[in-house]
Amino acid sequence: MSLRIVRSAVLLLSGIAAIAFNQIMTGYSALFGITLSISALITVVHLFINFDKTFNPKVIMELVIDGFAGIIIFTYPHSGELFFLIVFSFWLVFMGALYLSSGLANPKEKDTFPLHLLTGIILIVLGFIIINYSSERMNSVYYLIGFAMIIYASANLYLFLDKKEEV
């Protein structure tokens, strides 16, 4: 469980960096790609260490989407700000769908059901807002990106630390 907490902490730090260094940081897509690559690596180590234990299959989905999005950001030859927004929105909508499916597939956990549902809906909506962001307001998109990552990582950390469960 500690590696899953580290994964969420890395994503939280990346979200805080998006907000804190919004006006002075260029190339946030590289930082996000590095964050997702580290996140995927942490998940691989977690699965490797706990290969003989049962695990949530959504962990594999997180690994695939983190690794895919991180590698795509680095390998696409014409990667720019618009491409980054597309990849980030795809990642965010997918993570929101994981939260929604976790909440809907496990209705007996009544105390975390609203958290899963609200977080999933918020992440999906923010993903669609970011993908449709207008070019004249592009200087504020990193605030929204940071806000979305903080919501995602905070919900993960809450579930890990307080409820001792995964997404």
Side-chain angles (χ1 to χ4, degrees), residues 23 34 69 138:
Q23 300 301 323
I34 291 168
M138 202 55 78

Side-chain angles (χ1 to χ4, degrees), residues 83-100:
F83 180 74
F84 164 68
L85 293 180
I86 292 169
V87 171
F88 181 80
S89 297
F90 169 74
W91 178 82
L92 197 60
V93 167
F94 193 85
M95 292 302 162
L98 283 180
Y99 260 99
L100 273 178

Side-chain angles (χ1 to χ4, degrees), residues 116-137:
H116 281 97
L117 239 51
L118 287 175
T119 304
I121 291 169
I122 288 170
L123 293 177
I124 290 172
V125 168
L126 287 176
F128 283 114
I129 288 172
I130 290 170
I131 195 94
N132 293 313
Y133 223 71
S134 64
S135 60
E136 58 267 358
R137 294 191 183 108

Side-chain angles (χ1 to χ4, degrees), residues 14-35:
S14 180
I16 291 171
I19 292 174
F21 304 120
N22 181 29
Q23 300 301 323
I24 59 173
M25 184 172 63
T26 58
Y28 182 75
S29 63
L31 178 65
F32 181 69
I34 291 168
T35 301

Side-chain angles (χ1 to χ4, degrees), residues 4 43 46-47 53-63 98 101-102 105-106 116 160 165-167:
R4 303 290 293 151
T43 305
H46 168 72
L47 291 174
K53 298 176 184 158
T54 59
F55 58 88
N56 190 345
K58 289 181 179 66
V59 173
I60 299 287
M61 292 181 190
E62 283 180 349
L63 168 67
L98 283 180
S101 66
S102 292
N106 200 4
H116 281 97
F160 292 145
E165 67 181 43
E166 295 190 74
V167 173

